[in-house]
Each structure stands twice: as structure tokens, then as C-alpha cells.
């Protein structure tokens, strides 16, 4: 194995696992849905990408690496979309406490009857 | 690969999955459970990556693709049909 991969692979795997652990602890300890969504995006994007980099360095066939790149791109596309949809559903069903928000732009838009961006 | 690294990774992932599952059990709302289940799926994906990197094979890559896809479709569809909570459900928090 080439010497760079020998260092990068374990470091990337450990970082990915550490991010997952931090996110899970945040999931338990943070108080409301929006805060929990903030902490869970980390393992889903950076953690998965780091572990995919580790797998990609271990495998040498071009088809495997292409699949790994596709998985990474798919994660980058879908995770923000899923988070957005969950946040939107939470806001629209009244599960977000307005008192924890510093400023609520969406409420202003909704009150004015404009078509909101979210 | 160094077995100590693999053991550390497996340990951290196990604790993470346990924490996420506790959040799935506690709720309190359906959307909290969806967010927690996303973390469970990410944990499984990273675990499969660790296994593939440790054993240097690519047989689990299609499984990772399917898990990523199902996780996305699942959370979007549950969020799509999220209903307003009734007052008695709120009182249980």
C-alpha cells in the first residue's frame, strides 16, 4: 500500500466515526428539533464523505472508485434536501417554538401573504 | 489495516447508534424520530465503509447506495405526511 494511503485511511475512518459519535451525543443532548437537525447533518455529509475517501484509497479498480464518487455526490445532493423538507414540515406543523428563533423571516412573509421561499 | 483502528471505529459507531436509537425511542415528535433514524442510517453506512476499507473489498458498495437512497426517500416521505400534533401529544413531552 502506498505510504500516504497508509496514514490517510485510518485517520479518515476515525474522523468519520468521531463525527458520528458527536452527532449522536448532540442528538441526545440538544433541546429542540432544529438544533438536533443542525448536529445530524455532520456525519451525514462530512463523515460519510471521509469514510468514502478511505474506501476509495483502499480499492484500486476504476469501477469501484466511480461508484464511490457517485455515492458522495448523491449524499451532497440529498442530505440538504431532506433536512430542508423536515425543517419545513416542522415549521408548518407548529413544532418549532418561535421564542427560540432570533429572527423569523418566514413568519413575516407568511403574515404579508406573500409566497414564501421555504 | 491496524486492528486497533477498526476496534476504535466499531466502538464509536456502536455508542453513536445506541444514542440515536435512544432518541428514536424517546421522540418526542415524529420528525425527531426521522432525524434520529437518518443518523442511524449514516452510522450503518460508515460502518459498512469501515468494513470495506478493512477487508479491501467492494461487495458492500451497492448496499451503501441502496441505504443512502432509502434514507433520503424515507425521511422526505415521512416529513411530507407530518401531521399537526394534537394538544394531548404535546402534553406528554
Amino acid at each position: 500500500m502506498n505510504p500516504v494511503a497508509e496514514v490517510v485511511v485510518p485517520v479518515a475512518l476515525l474522523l468519520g466515526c468521531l463525527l458520528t459519535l458527536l452527532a449522536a451525543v448532540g442528538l441526545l443532548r440538544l433541546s429542540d428539533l432544529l438544533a438536533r437537525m443542525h448536529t445530524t447533518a455532520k456525519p451525514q455529509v462530512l463523515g460519510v464523505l471521509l469514510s468514502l475517501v478511505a474506501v476509495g484509497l483502499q480499492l484500486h479498480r476504476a469501477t469501484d472508485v466511480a461508484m464511490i464518487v457517485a455515492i458522495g455526490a448523491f449524499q451532497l445532493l440529498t442530505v440538504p434536501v431532506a433536512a430542508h423538507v423536515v425543517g419545513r414540515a416542522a415549521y408548518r406543523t407548529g413544532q418549532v417554538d418561535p421564542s427560540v428563533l432570533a429572527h423569523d423571516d418566514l413568519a413575516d412573509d407568511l403574515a404579508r401573504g406573500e409566497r414564501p421561499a421555504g | 489495516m491496524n486492528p486497533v483502528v477498526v476496534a476504535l471505529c466499531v466502538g464509536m459507531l456502536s455508542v453513536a447508534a445506541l444514542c440515536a436509537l435512544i432518541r428514536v425511542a424517546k421522540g418526542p415528535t415524529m420528525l425527531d424520530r426521522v432525524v434520529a433514524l437518518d443518523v442511524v442510517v449514516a452510522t450503518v453506512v460508515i460502518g459498512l465503509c469501515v468494513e470495506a476499507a478493512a477487508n479491501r473489498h467492494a461487495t458492500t458498495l451497492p448496499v451503501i447506495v441502496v441505504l443512502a437512497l432509502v434514507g433520503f426517500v424515507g425521511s422526505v416521505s415521512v416529513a411530507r405526511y407530518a401531521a399537526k400534533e394534537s394538544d394531548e401529544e404535546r402534553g406528554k413531552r
Side-chain angles (χ1 to χ4, degrees):
Chain A
M1 194 157 79
N2 93 49
V4 178
E6 204 144 346
V7 178
V8 171
V9 168
V11 169
L13 284 180
L14 284 173
L15 273 179
C17 295
L18 189 65
L19 278 171
T20 317
L21 182 59
L22 288 177
V25 170
L27 198 61
L28 269 188
R29 295 197 41 95
L30 291 178
S31 55
D32 66 333
L33 180 69
L34 294 183
R36 287 181 201 135
M37 280 170 54
H38 153 76
T39 191
T40 57
K42 274 82 202 171
Q44 284 181 41
V45 181
L46 188 55
V48 170
L49 285 184
L50 279 171
S51 48
L52 286 175
V53 165
V55 179
L57 285 173
Q58 291 283 63
L59 305 173
H60 297 293
R61 276 203 334 217
T63 48
D64 297 339
V65 175
M67 202 174 216
I68 287 166
V69 171
I71 298 170
F74 185 73
Q75 283 283 319
L76 282 176
L77 284 176
T78 57
V79 169
V81 173
H84 178 92
V85 173
V86 171
R88 184 183 192 279
Y91 190 92
R92 297 294 169 110
T93 55
Q95 292 169 31
V96 174
D97 180 7
S99 66
V100 302
L101 301 176
H103 186 69
D104 193 347
D105 285 318
L106 188 53
D108 297 346
D109 282 354
L110 288 176
R112 266 183 281 139
E114 286 174 10
R115 202 158 158 252
Chain B
M1 205 166 65
N2 193 340
V4 177
V5 173
V6 178
L8 270 176
C9 287
V10 171
M12 284 194 276
L13 290 176
S14 311
V15 176
L18 191 68
C19 291
L21 284 176
I22 291 173
R23 178 51 73 191
V24 173
K26 278 187 7 187
T29 69
M30 212 59 223
L31 291 170
D32 282 306
R33 296 195 174 93
V34 170
V35 170
L37 279 172
D38 269 353
V39 173
V40 174
V41 171
T43 312
V44 175
V45 166
I46 294 179
L48 285 172
C49 287
V50 170
E51 196 266 338
N55 297 332
R56 290 169 154 274
H57 65 71
T59 40
T60 49
L61 282 186
V63 182
I64 295 174
V65 176
V66 170
L67 273 179
L69 190 72
V70 169
F72 171 66
V73 173
S75 55
V76 167
S77 49
V78 173
R80 175 71 184 77
Y81 293 107
K84 270 199 163 52
E85 286 194 326
S86 63
D87 286 337
E88 60 181 77
E89 275 177 340
R90 269 167 190 274
K92 280 187 213 154
R93 275 190 212 183

